[in-house]
Amino acid sequence: MNKTAVVAGGAGFLGSHLCESLINSGIKVICMDNLGTGRMENLGAIIKNKKFRFIKHDVRRPLKVKGRVDYVFHLASYASPPYYQAKSIETLLTNSVGTYNILEFCRLKKARYLITSTSEAYGDPKEHPQKETYWGNVNPVGIRSCYDEAKRFAEAMTMEFVRKFKVDARIIRIFNTYGPRLQKDDGRVISNFIWQAQHDKDLTIYGDGSQTRSFCYVSDQIKGLTAAMMKDGLAGEVINIGNPDEFTVKEAAVIIKEMTGSKSKIIYKPLPKDDPTRRKPDITKAKKILGWEPQVKLREGLSHTIKWFADGK
Ligand code: UDP
């Protein structure tokens, strides 16, 4: 029988790629989004597909869907630092009240659940690379806490639904992901650098650029999320999905400048408060349990992303 998935946050960067991939594998998709940062343009390739339905809905209100639902992906949240800081209360509520509403929906529908948590759950990590067992180093009252603590709360809520109601829920901590459909004004490092390089604007490194991130291409991320949802027996499991190839922000700037052939200068701006110094996933668990590991190297993923930006999307 045909399976049905609800994707909360389905019109966003990751959500839209996920909806597309689910449809292509024959699953019916109900995409829910309040269009806070999600965009209908992201759904262009599937909006007319018979297996696809869009519902404009904010998960801070209870979810209502008729009929059977097999899978619920919870990707609803502001996710880039400038956005979640500008929409801090909304971010806190989406990840708390919203997560509760989605979990209640899963409980009633007996649906399997996956939440995209974040590497931010580890804060500015003192352990490197970060394993799922690490509890993190998060400033609970800093400017990033509206996101970090909200996601940690969402993880706690998820675990209680596993313990108390046996909801088949898994938590995926996703690390910096990039690719086509990142918005040019999203404020994240890869989209900023590409847009700046293509418009002969200065590439803005925050701090001295020695902080590191490990960048995962979107197709790898979607494969990881799907594998984690489809695998039986993962209730209560926490799994990192990201690419362990670690780069400094300065290296990322130099690579993007070179790949775009840009004449832009690289300039330095103040480092935002609580900006994590290092970040790299330990993906031993994902490899072992899901048989998943990323395939796309940074330069290859960047070439697709640069092309997408150049096409003026
Ligand atoms: N960053 C930067 N220049 C920019 C945007 C971001 O140097 O124009 C830095 C930012 O300070 C952080 C890293 O790049 O150290 C990754 O930032 P991003 O906002 O992409 O995500 P984060 O991993 O911090 O959530």
Side-chain angles (χ1 to χ4, degrees):
M1 207 187 351
N2 247 336
K3 300 281 188 189
T4 301
V6 167
V7 181
F13 159 57
L14 273 184
S16 62
H17 284 282
L18 178 62
C19 288
E20 238 173 86
S21 155
L22 292 169
I23 294 266
N24 289 338
S25 64
I27 294 175
K28 278 195 202 158
V29 171
I30 299 169
C31 167
M32 268 183 198
D33 207 297
N34 69 351
L35 301 179
T37 44
R39 295 153 54 108
M40 292 310 286
E41 295 94 287
N42 288 342
L43 301 168
I46 47 172
I47 193 92
K48 295 212 168 89
N49 193 301
K50 284 199 176 65
K51 287 187 180 295
F52 180 80
R53 186 148 68 96
F54 176 78
I55 301 177
K56 186 163 187 285
H57 180 76
D58 190 318
V59 297
R60 287 175 287 171
R61 284 182 289 113
L63 284 64
K64 287 192 193 83
V65 170
K66 283 203 185 107
R68 209 189 76 224
V69 171
D70 303 281
Y71 309 113
V72 177
F73 290 88
H74 176 6
L75 279 67
S77 179
Y78 289 101
S80 94
Y83 273 91
Y84 68 61
Q85 283 160 30
K87 300 280 185 185
S88 51
I89 307 288
E90 289 87 339
T91 302
L92 283 158
L93 291 174
T94 299
N95 284 292
S96 53
V97 177
T99 297
Y100 170 74
N101 285 335
I102 294 174
L103 281 161
E104 266 294 288
F105 177 77
C106 289
R107 184 169 75 87
L108 295 172
K109 292 282 187 189
K110 301 194 181 346
R112 191 178 275 191
Y113 162 105
L114 178 153
I115 182 167
T116 49
S117 184
T118 168
S119 51
E120 283 287 314
Y122 303 118
D124 189 6
K126 289 187 192 295
E127 215 180 272
H128 195 78
Q130 292 81 51
K131 276 199 192 70
E132 292 86 349
T133 45
Y134 177 49
W135 290 357
N137 175 41
V138 174
N139 176 353
V141 292
I143 57 167
R144 294 173 88 104
S145 70
C146 59
Y147 184 68
D148 301 9
E149 294 294 14
K151 286 289 189 184
R152 287 165 67 100
F153 178 94
E155 291 195 6
M157 180 72 87
T158 300
M159 289 308 294
E160 288 317 307
F161 270 72
V162 173
R163 292 189 189 104
K164 288 209 161 37
F165 305 120
K166 306 277 179 272
V167 171
D168 186 0
R170 60 270 285 130
I171 295 168
I172 306 302
R173 297 198 181 127
I174 67 180
F175 285 64
N176 297 64
T177 302
Y178 69 99
R181 297 194 196 136
L182 263 184
Q183 294 307 305
K184 64 180 189 321
D185 60 355
D186 184 65
R188 272 180 275 205
V189 66
I190 297 288
S191 44
N192 272 8
F193 286 171
I194 294 178
W195 189 86
Q196 289 162 343
Q198 289 175 336
H199 291 80
D200 291 328
K201 308 265 187 223
D202 297 338
L203 269 62
T204 53
I205 289 183
Y206 303 158
D208 63 5
S210 64
Q211 70 272 37
T212 68
R213 293 295 186 272
S214 305
F215 300 106
C216 183
Y217 188 61
V218 63
S219 60
D220 281 332
Q221 182 63 245
I222 298 301
K223 282 181 195 151
L225 294 179
T226 313
M229 179 62 109
M230 298 306 156
K231 176 96 182 173
D232 293 340
L234 294 190
E237 292 294 342
V238 181
I239 305 175
N240 289 335
I241 296 285
N243 188 321
D245 290 347
E246 187 182 8
F247 295 85
T248 66
V249 164
K250 184 163 183 195
E251 282 167 341
V254 170
I255 293 171
I256 290 171
K257 186 168 145 60
E258 179 219 301
M259 287 183 68
T260 50
S262 168
K263 295 194 180 61
S264 296
K265 286 199 311 260
I266 291 179
I267 62 161
Y268 293 85
K269 292 197 156 188
L271 186 67
K273 262 187 115 317
D274 294 337
D275 200 289
T277 342
R278 298 187 78 185
R279 190 184 283 160
K280 169 184 161 114
D282 182 318
I283 57 164
T284 311
K285 188 170 177 183
K287 277 190 195 162
K288 190 164 160 230
I289 296 189
L290 306 175
W292 172 91
E293 65 181 305
Q295 306 294 327
V296 182
K297 293 280 170 207
L298 182 63
R299 280 178 180 268
E300 185 193 342
L302 281 177
S303 72
H304 301 311
T305 314
I306 288 168
K307 181 169 181 318
W308 185 83
F309 270 80
D311 289 345
K313 297 282 173 49

